[in-house]
Amino acid sequence: MKKFMTSFMALLLSVSLLSFAGCASQTENPGTPPDEVIRQDNSGNASGSGDTSGDSQSGNSTSSYEGDIIENAVSVQIGKKGKKDWIVNMYNNAAALTMLDYLSGSKMLFPTYTYEEEQGFVAQDVRGNYTRDDETTITDIKAGELYLFSGGQLRLYFKDMSGANITATPVGYYTDTEGLTEAVQDAYESNKGDTWGVDVYFQIKKLI
């Protein structure tokens, strides 16, 4: 009787394992997530990735530029399949320079996890120690403007917003805004259901 029970239990275990294997084989493997999704800090925010050889570990920029505007600083493609290169000018302030130090000449996939249609922006927390010396209150916002908030949140506004009254540090702006609203909206719609919970992907490359 004991031998029979042992054989019966073994048979049940085999059936269970085969059933589990069958269910697992029907689940599609999503593959390897973007490095920005894998490498997250304790707060659950993406820590960033890509070629970080130029990272400023102290949070202070080591680069210097002349004038108030750093022209043609960054190239951006909107969406994972974006083709158009949008050019971004950066302001010559400490926060923007720190941000530039984290970028490289290699294209980096940058995910944003917050899409606000009504308020017209996409946002993501970015790493780095940022000064608030250039923080100001902005009443009206234009599409294509980039702002860094005190908590380290970077926002791209893809719509004009009157009476926004935000307090943030201006860090840059898109030089061409024709079709920008539609490009961000289309990227959001095409990325719905993203495996990693990303609202809109951007492909970023430093040009300077």
Side-chain angles (χ1 to χ4, degrees), residues 4-185:
F4 172 78
M5 289 300 294
T6 303
S7 299
F8 182 70
M9 292 301 293
L11 178 62
L12 282 178
L13 179 61
S14 298
V15 171
S16 298
L17 288 174
L18 286 172
S19 298
F20 177 78
C23 292
S25 64
Q26 295 175 6
T27 303
E28 184 178 351
N29 185 346
T32 303
D35 195 34
E36 295 84 350
V37 177
I38 297 175
R39 298 173 57 192
Q40 300 204 346
D41 60 29
N42 293 331
S43 66
N45 297 318
S47 300
S49 70
D51 179 4
T52 56
S53 59
D55 285 0
S56 172
Q57 299 300 327
S58 65
N60 297 317
S61 172
T62 57
S63 305
S64 61
Y65 303 91
E66 294 182 0
D68 296 330
I69 302 295
I70 306 169
E71 296 185 350
N72 305 318
V74 176
S75 172
V76 179
Q77 291 179 347
I78 302 172
K80 292 174 74 174
K81 297 181 180 179
K83 300 297 182 183
K84 178 176 178 177
D85 290 321
W86 302 81
I87 302 302
V88 176
N89 289 348
M90 302 290 283
Y91 291 109
N92 193 357
N93 59 41
L97 293 180
T98 299
M99 195 172 298
L100 283 171
D101 277 352
Y102 279 104
L103 300 180
S104 78
S106 299
K107 190 181 295 183
M108 182 183 78
L109 191 64
F110 182 82
T112 58
Y113 294 90
T114 302
Y115 175 88
E116 291 287 347
E117 174 69 30
E118 186 175 344
Q119 298 180 59
F121 69 81
V122 288
Q124 171 59 15
D125 291 348
V126 292
R127 62 179 174 175
N129 298 316
Y130 296 95
T131 173
R132 297 174 64 181
D133 292 347
D134 297 290
E135 191 175 70
T136 186
T137 298
I138 299 94
T139 302
D140 299 324
I141 301 171
K142 297 295 184 183
E145 293 181 337
L146 290 156
Y147 293 97
L148 183 68
F149 287 73
S150 59
Q153 186 186 68
L154 177 66
R155 291 184 185 181
L156 163 63
Y157 282 86
F158 57 90
K159 292 182 179 179
D160 292 345
M161 300 297 295
S162 298
N165 295 319
I166 62 170
T167 300
T169 302
V171 291
Y173 58 91
Y174 281 55
T175 59
D176 176 21
T177 59
E178 184 176 355
L180 178 65
T181 300
E182 293 76 14
V184 175
Q185 290 171 329

